[in-house]
Amino acid sequence: METVMSYFMLNPAFYIFAGLAVILAIFMITMPNPVYSAIFLVLTFFCISVIYITLEAEFIAAIQVLVYTGAIMVLFLFVIMLLNLGRDADLVEHSGPMKYISIIVAFAILIQIGLAAKVTVNIGEKGMFPIEKIREIGNTEAIAGLLFSDYLYPFEIASILLLLGMIGAIIISKKRSE
Amino acid sequence: MVPLSHYLIFTAILFTLGVIGVLTRRNAIVVFMSIELMLNSVNLSMVTFARFLNSMDGQIAVFLVMTVAAAEVAVGLALIVAIYRKKETINIDEMHIMQG
């Protein structure tokens, strides 16, 4: 208990925003209205982006806000409003005893992952980017340097994937003209 | 510095909440949002390992995962719109016939 308190005093940002993210995620999966779910998911993503900042991954934190809370969640809200899912009749969810079984299954998964996290395994070799070096050259520059040299092909493939996703979304959601 | 295990326990809790959302909700859009939550928790654990291993590769992987997630959301929501046009519902219990 002492140690947990001392960790909290040293790094309050992580513990506050981690707790907040968990509470908001619980709201997200329990809200009957999908619009409220989407809003709570946006807030959860903001908390996760603060946690990226506690890990000194500023670029990923910025991208998290831009891509997830900016682009993806706006897309979700657009679709919810396009389908007009605010009606109460659509929101009734019939799920019987399967609901409790699935919650038990989910907790089994939590225990499994938690045990894996608790066992202090040798997590592997240290890489070439200690935090002092990242601080010196800057997080964004470190990512960009790797992305345009060692990871050039994955980067190009990702851009092609985005193009394909765009074309696919247009073709799938287009109205069929008979 | 917050210890590694605290980050991992936090990501495990977020992942489990995503699993509960996928398994208990019947609204396809909320199921999809829960999948996004699971993706985010895995991203967070990758950045955590990158930080604790003095590496940058985890952050590159997260960058690529976010690209894939954006494409996936666009296609998935298009599918949901197409299914809604056909069946007038997005309750996943009623989507059990393969042929539209």
Side-chain angles (χ1 to χ4, degrees):
Chain A
M1 205 60 220
E2 277 294 289
T3 52
V4 173
M5 271 316 282
S6 64
Y7 282 132
F8 180 81
M9 297 313 277
L10 282 173
N11 305 280
F14 170 75
Y15 292 98
I16 291 170
F17 281 93
L20 207 57
V22 170
I23 293 166
L24 291 168
I26 291 170
F27 277 129
M28 192 278 279
I29 59 172
T30 51
M31 281 288 150
N33 191 326
V35 178
Y36 290 150
S37 284
I39 298 297
F40 280 116
L41 190 58
V42 168
L43 296 174
T44 312
F45 285 164
F46 268 115
C47 294
I48 291 175
S49 117
V50 173
I51 288 168
Y52 284 138
I53 289 177
T54 68
L55 286 166
E56 302 188 45
E58 292 88 3
F59 179 71
I60 297 292
I63 289 292
Q64 169 85 4
V65 174
L66 281 177
V67 173
Y68 271 106
T69 69
I72 292 182
M73 293 318 295
V74 167
L75 206 57
F76 268 107
L77 285 171
F78 258 126
V79 169
I80 291 169
M81 284 163 191
L82 196 70
L83 302 185
N84 194 15
L85 292 173
R87 295 193 308 265
D88 288 342
D90 287 346
L91 302 177
V92 182
E93 301 201 2
H94 305 282
S95 49
M98 288 309 282
K99 190 171 183 170
Y100 302 104
I101 296 171
S102 52
I103 289 175
I104 292 168
V105 170
F107 272 100
I109 293 172
L110 174 64
I111 291 166
Q112 212 170 8
I113 306 173
L115 285 177
K118 204 171 181 304
V119 176
T120 42
V121 286
N122 180 13
I123 56 173
E125 278 176 44
K126 297 276 181 182
M128 285 155 53
F129 285 89
I131 195 68
E132 293 77 26
K133 190 177 170 191
I134 295 174
R135 278 190 195 131
E136 192 193 315
I137 61 176
N139 181 262
T140 311
E141 201 176 322
I143 288 184
L146 274 177
L147 203 58
F148 293 117
S149 58
D150 292 357
Y151 292 91
L152 185 63
Y153 289 115
F155 180 73
E156 297 290 343
I157 293 168
S159 65
I160 293 171
L161 184 78
L162 275 180
L163 179 68
L164 286 178
M166 194 171 76
I167 296 170
I170 292 169
I171 289 175
I172 291 170
S173 62
K174 201 177 64 169
K175 274 204 179 97
R176 301 250 168 84
S177 54
E178 261 111 85
Chain B
M1 191 67 205
V2 183
L4 175 67
S5 58
H6 291 198
Y7 280 103
L8 291 183
I9 290 165
F10 169 59
T11 58
I13 292 170
L14 271 192
F15 190 86
T16 311
L17 287 171
V19 172
I20 292 175
V22 169
L23 291 177
T24 59
R25 297 301 300 263
R26 300 271 70 88
N27 187 325
I29 289 184
V30 181
V31 170
F32 212 17
M33 285 188 222
S34 304
I35 294 172
E36 290 301 313
L37 188 64
M38 286 155 77
L39 268 177
N40 259 278
S41 75
V42 175
N43 278 352
L44 187 54
S45 71
M46 273 201 276
V47 173
T48 307
F49 276 119
R51 170 76 173 79
F52 280 86
L53 283 172
N54 291 346
S55 168
M56 214 67 207
D57 300 357
Q59 297 194 22
I60 306 276
V62 168
F63 181 81
L64 296 173
V65 166
M66 279 181 181
T67 335
V68 174
E72 170 232 326
V73 164
V75 174
L77 287 175
L79 280 174
I80 289 177
V81 170
I83 290 170
Y84 186 78
R85 285 228 180 91
K86 199 90 188 167
K87 290 185 182 285
E88 295 282 308
T89 179
I90 54 162
N91 188 327
I92 54 171
D93 277 344
E94 299 182 16
M95 297 175 197
H96 46 65
I97 300 169
M98 285 290 275
Q99 205 199 353

